[in-house]
Amino acid sequence: MPVEVTWWGHATCTVEDSGVRFLTDPVFARRLAHLRRRRGELPSPEAVRAEAVLVSHLHADHLHLPSLARLAPGTRIVVPRGAPAAVPGLRRLDGNGLRLTEVEPGDTVTVEGVTVRVVPALHDGRRLPVGPHRSPALGYVVEGEARTYFAGDTGLFDGMAEAVGPVDVALLPVGGWGPYLGHGHLDAGRAAEALAALSPAAAVPVHFGTYWPIGLDGVRPHEFHAPGDEFVRHAARLAPKVAVHLLAHGERVRPEVAR
């Protein structure tokens, strides 16, 4: 089994490779500020179990302190460089038995024999709504028996495929949590363009169809419901050789990759 991917909703996934579990951008909340979870049950207790957590950037729907606080003592949390200065609550977690590792593009981290490469992303990495731009937005490539790219939040950027490097599985954001996507995001069409450039064996669309602003259910609802199916359609046209796995919340897949 080269790799197994479970999508828990939004950008939260478990990537298990070589017996090592990585958890991406964990959010285990039914309500997050002005957002509520509209689809899918909350992740099961199994989702909290991981050897390492990969945090892509400081936005509260990706770096969620109450969810990180549920991790077992000793869990490593990989965060963008400067994150503890921008989010003081991270330092409290570090003092409570979790292990923070700050990284930037070009760094590598080894977790129980599995290497994680840190790659750039095109996204505003600040802790909003206020705060200086202290930390970069990141993507990660987990390299064990397979090479699995977690893009976090990103837009298309020049040299993306070269910056990310060769990958077997791509976890790509295809939507958002509101009626309109701002700069530095991928919608379904742009995500399919990224997929064509990256050319992995398999892909899993994420970051859609989970959270939505309270009171805006009737505003551009297709931006909540449609991105996954739209990505499948665009990917079939732009990257027909890639196996796209459209998962339900809590569903897992073992993509076939050739290494």
Side-chain angles (χ1 to χ4, degrees):
M1 181 188 74
V3 66
E4 182 175 83
V5 176
T6 306
W7 182 48
W8 303 108
H10 202 52
T12 306
C13 301
T14 295
V15 176
E16 184 168 356
D17 191 318
S18 307
V20 184
R21 289 170 63 95
F22 297 86
L23 180 62
T24 67
D25 289 351
V27 178
F28 304 137
R30 194 171 300 281
R31 170 83 181 268
L32 177 64
H34 64 298
L35 306 178
R36 67 180 173 91
R37 192 176 179 109
R38 285 193 58 202
R39 180 185 290 166
E41 295 299 320
L42 288 176
S44 69
E46 175 193 0
V48 182
R49 184 169 61 86
E51 278 67 52
V53 171
L54 308 177
V55 175
S56 64
H57 62 288
L58 306 191
H59 293 174
D61 60 320
H62 293 258
L63 195 169
H64 186 241
L65 292 172
S67 294
L68 293 176
R70 294 179 56 186
L71 299 168
T75 304
R76 175 179 287 190
I77 306 177
V78 183
V79 298
R81 189 167 302 282
V87 187
L90 279 173
R91 292 197 291 265
R92 290 193 293 272
L93 294 179
D94 193 36
N96 289 336
L98 301 174
R99 298 183 295 146
L100 291 185
T101 300
E102 297 181 56
V103 295
E104 59 189 14
D107 288 346
T108 61
V109 177
T110 300
V111 180
E112 297 190 9
V114 177
T115 298
V116 179
R117 287 194 296 110
V118 185
V119 299
L122 178 63
H123 193 68
D124 185 341
R126 292 176 295 173
R127 185 69 163 182
L128 299 177
V130 296
H133 196 153
R134 290 179 175 165
S135 295
L138 305 173
Y140 298 95
V141 180
V142 176
E143 296 188 331
E145 295 185 47
R147 297 164 297 194
T148 303
Y149 170 46
F150 169 62
D153 256 352
T154 188
L156 282 171
F157 57 91
D158 292 340
M160 185 178 189
E162 291 77 12
V164 172
V167 294
D168 302 300
V169 183
L171 313 182
L172 294 177
V174 302
W177 52 252
Y180 301 95
L181 282 175
H183 177 70
H185 291 85
L186 296 177
D187 62 11
R190 292 192 295 271
E193 291 180 45
L195 186 68
L198 295 166
S199 191
V204 176
V206 302
H207 204 275
F208 75 99
T210 307
Y211 290 98
W212 201 250
I214 295 169
L216 293 185
D217 290 7
V219 179
R220 294 172 61 86
H222 61 282
E223 298 293 349
F224 179 85
H225 295 285
D229 291 326
E230 289 184 353
F231 176 71
V232 171
R233 177 169 55 83
H234 287 300
R237 176 173 56 87
L238 296 177
K241 294 183 180 181
V242 180
V244 177
H245 301 277
L246 182 60
L247 303 182
H249 292 83
E251 189 175 3
R252 66 194 60 194
V253 64
R254 297 177 180 176
E256 291 188 11
V257 299
R259 288 294 305 272

